Amino acid sequence: MAPSRAVLTAGRSAARHLRLPHRQHRLVSSYGYAQAKVLAFPALGEPKDVLHLHAHSIAPPHGNQLTLRFLASPINPADVNQIQGVYPTKPTFTTALSTPHPIAVGGNEGVAEVVAKGGGVKGVDKGDWVIMKKQGFGTWRTHAQTTADQLMVIKDRDGLKPEQVGTVSVNPMTAYRMLKDFVALQPGEWFIQNGANSGVGRAAIQLGKLWGYKSINIIRKRESGNEELKAELKSLGADVVVTDEELASKDFRAQVKEFTNGGREPIRLGLNCVGGSIVNTMAKNLAPNSHMVTYGAMSKQPVSLPTGLLIFKNISFDGFWVSRWSDQNPEQKEACVKEVLALTREGKFKDVPMQAVKWEYETKEEELVGAVQGTLEGFRGGKGIFVFGET
C-alpha cells in the first residue's frame, strides 16, 4: 500500500531538517522518494514571465527505470528561444510532475549522475555519468527519472569535470560536423567564420587547428577588450581574428590574399551564426565550389544569396541543425562525444568560458530565472551554466 499524503509530508519535512553526510544530497525521504525541483513553464513566453520553480517527488525506480541527479546543465540560447516559442522544436508539456495543468521543463543539455536504478537495468551502474541522447528531455532540474535508452553513458569520467561533459553534445558537435560534412578540407586550407567567440566558434578553432586547417575568425567590435579577445582566440589556435568592422573595410580583400599565401591557399568553407550582410562579405572571399553553412541567426537578419556567387563561383549555401543530425546519427554522435572528451582529458580541447550559476536546495527562484533571462542580453563573460550543489 502506498504511504498516505500525510505520512509523505511528514517524511519530506523530516528530510529537510536532516543533516546528511557529504555527497548524499537530500536525495531520499523516509520512504525512498527523491525530492526534486524543476525550472518549468506552463506556457510559451519570455523566461522572466513564464519560468517558475516547481517541487515534486520521484518514487524509487523499478524495472528498467533510473533515477538521476543532475550535476551541470548549460543555458543555451536555443533553450531560451524554445521557451519563447521561436525554436523549431517545441517543448513537451506534461502533468507527470504532479501539477494540475501541463508544464514543460527547460533545458536540453546537461550531465547527470545515476543515483538509483531498477532491477531490470543492464549496462548502467550507480555512479555513472550520463548525457541525454536527444533534446527535449528538460535538464534544468535537480533530479529526474528515465530509462537507459534515453541516455548516453559516460563510463570513463577520469580527468573530466561535470561542466565539460554537460556541454559536449551541442557546441562541439556542431563545430565538428560542419568542419567535416560539407567540404573535404585538406591540411593547410582555410575556413572563415563569424561568431568566433561563441561556443561553436571556439570549438571550430580548436578542432580545425588539430586537423591542420587554418581559420579567419570574425568577432563583433566591442567598446573595449578587442585586442585581448583576439589574443585569447589566437591562443586557442586561430590564425587570423578580425572584427566585423575590419571585415567590412575596403582593404580586407587584399589582406585575405596576404593571409592565404597570395591566394594560393583556398578558403573553401564558411560558417555563419549571425546572418545579414556580413555573410555576403564572407562569401566573396570563398574559393569557387565552396560552401557557406548557416547554423544560427543571432542578428535575426536573413541571408541573401548574391546571384554572381551562385552562378559564376558555384558557392553553395547550406544549413545545419545539430539536433536533427544527432537524431539521425546516434552512433556517430556517441563516437564524436567520446573523441571530444578524450581530447578534453588530454588537454587538447579547452572549455568555453563559463558563468556558473550555483543551484542548491535553497536557491531562490528569482536567481535561476534571472540567469536564463540574461542569456541573450548583451556581451557576456561566459556561457551560463547551472552547477548543482547540495540538492
Side-chain angles (χ1 to χ4, degrees):
M1 178 180 296
S4 70
R5 180 175 298 178
V7 172
L8 280 177
T9 301
R12 294 186 195 120
S13 178
R16 289 193 183 98
H17 293 88
L18 184 62
R19 300 295 295 177
L20 297 177
H22 183 60
R23 292 191 59 77
Q24 290 192 11
H25 306 287
R26 296 185 189 271
L27 171 65
V28 181
S29 73
S30 302
Y31 292 89
Y33 281 68
Q35 307 303 306
K37 289 185 177 181
V38 303
L39 198 56
F41 52 104
L44 302 177
E46 284 299 314
K48 63 182 177 59
D49 299 325
V50 298
L51 280 178
H52 69 278
L53 201 56
H54 168 69
H56 70 103
S57 297
I58 298 177
H62 61 85
N64 65 345
Q65 294 178 332
L66 295 159
T67 299
L68 313 177
R69 185 183 76 84
F70 274 86
L71 305 174
S73 299
I75 309 168
N76 290 312
D79 301 330
V80 179
N81 293 152
Q82 190 176 60
I83 296 169
Q84 293 169 327
V86 297
Y87 197 69
T89 301
K90 303 306 178 187
T92 300
F93 291 90
T94 177
T95 57
L97 303 181
S98 304
T99 57
H101 304 290
I103 61 172
V105 180
N108 289 286
E109 187 182 22
V111 60
E113 179 184 8
V114 177
V115 293
K117 68 174 190 174
V121 176
K122 306 296 182 184
V124 186
D125 299 307
K126 288 178 62 176
D128 283 347
W129 287 5
V130 294
I131 63 176
M132 288 62 240
K133 284 186 176 180
K134 297 182 179 182
Q135 71 169 25
F137 186 89
T139 56
W140 297 347
R141 59 172 100 204
T142 61
H143 300 82
Q145 195 166 85
T146 188
T147 52
D149 61 318
Q150 302 297 312
L151 306 170
M152 184 187 305
V153 183
I154 309 298
K155 288 285 188 181
D156 182 7
R157 67 190 202 196
D158 288 345
L160 297 173
K161 298 181 294 185
E163 296 91 329
Q164 295 168 322
V165 180
T167 56
V168 73
S169 64
V170 175
N171 291 336
M173 292 303 97
T174 300
Y176 190 118
R177 298 322 315 178
M178 290 193 302
L179 289 175
K180 288 293 188 181
D181 292 350
F182 293 91
V183 176
L185 286 175
Q186 301 301 310
E189 293 184 332
W190 292 75
F191 68 92
I192 184 171
Q193 66 169 342
N194 57 38
N197 188 39
S198 67
V200 174
R202 288 169 176 264
I205 289 169
Q206 295 180 78
L207 293 173
K209 193 69 173 181
L210 287 169
W211 297 333
Y213 312 151
K214 298 179 180 180
S215 61
I216 298 174
N217 301 275
I218 305 159
I219 59 175
R220 284 186 294 167
K221 184 179 180 181
R222 306 171 179 223
E223 292 183 2
S224 62
N226 292 294
E227 296 308 313
E228 291 81 359
L229 179 56
K230 287 181 179 182
E232 182 185 353
L233 296 182
K234 286 182 178 180
S235 74
L236 294 177
D239 295 278
V240 177
V241 185
V242 297
T243 66
D244 47 6
E245 186 177 273
E246 292 168 333
L247 175 76
S249 67
K250 293 181 179 180
D251 58 352
F252 185 72
R253 295 288 294 274
Q255 293 175 18
V256 168
K257 191 172 183 179
E258 184 179 338
F259 299 150
T260 59
N261 191 22
R264 288 184 287 273
E265 298 171 358
I267 304 173
R268 300 184 55 213
L269 177 66
L271 308 179
N272 164 51
C273 67
V274 175
S277 62
I278 191 174
V279 182
N280 285 352
T281 307
M282 293 167 60
K284 289 175 183 177
N285 291 284
L286 294 176
N289 305 308
S290 298
H291 286 250
M292 176 66 69
V293 184
T294 292
Y295 66 97
M298 291 172 58
S299 72
K300 299 183 180 178
Q301 298 298 314
V303 174
S304 60
L305 307 182
T307 305
L309 295 181
L310 291 170
I311 297 174
F312 303 115
K313 293 186 72 175
N314 195 34
I315 303 297
S316 297
F317 287 77
D318 308 276
F320 181 75
W321 186 21
V322 71
S323 298
R324 178 168 52 212
W325 179 87
S326 297
D327 290 347
Q328 295 174 347
N329 302 277
E331 293 181 359
Q332 278 186 275
K333 176 183 177 179
E334 186 166 357
C336 287
V337 164
K338 290 181 178 179
E339 182 177 346
V340 173
L341 290 180
L343 292 172
T344 303
R345 192 180 290 110
E346 295 166 10
K348 297 178 180 179
F349 188 86
K350 296 182 180 179
D351 314 342
V352 299
M354 297 185 192
Q355 288 185 332
V357 180
K358 200 71 172 178
W359 187 332
E360 306 280 356
Y361 186 81
E362 301 296 341
T363 300
K364 302 299 182 184
E365 176 181 298
E366 53 266 27
E367 295 179 42
L368 304 177
V369 175
V372 176
Q373 184 66 40
T375 296
L376 298 181
E377 297 176 357
F379 292 108
R380 298 179 58 81
K383 172 189 284 292
I385 183 169
F386 293 125
V387 178
F388 298 85
E390 296 291 330
T391 57

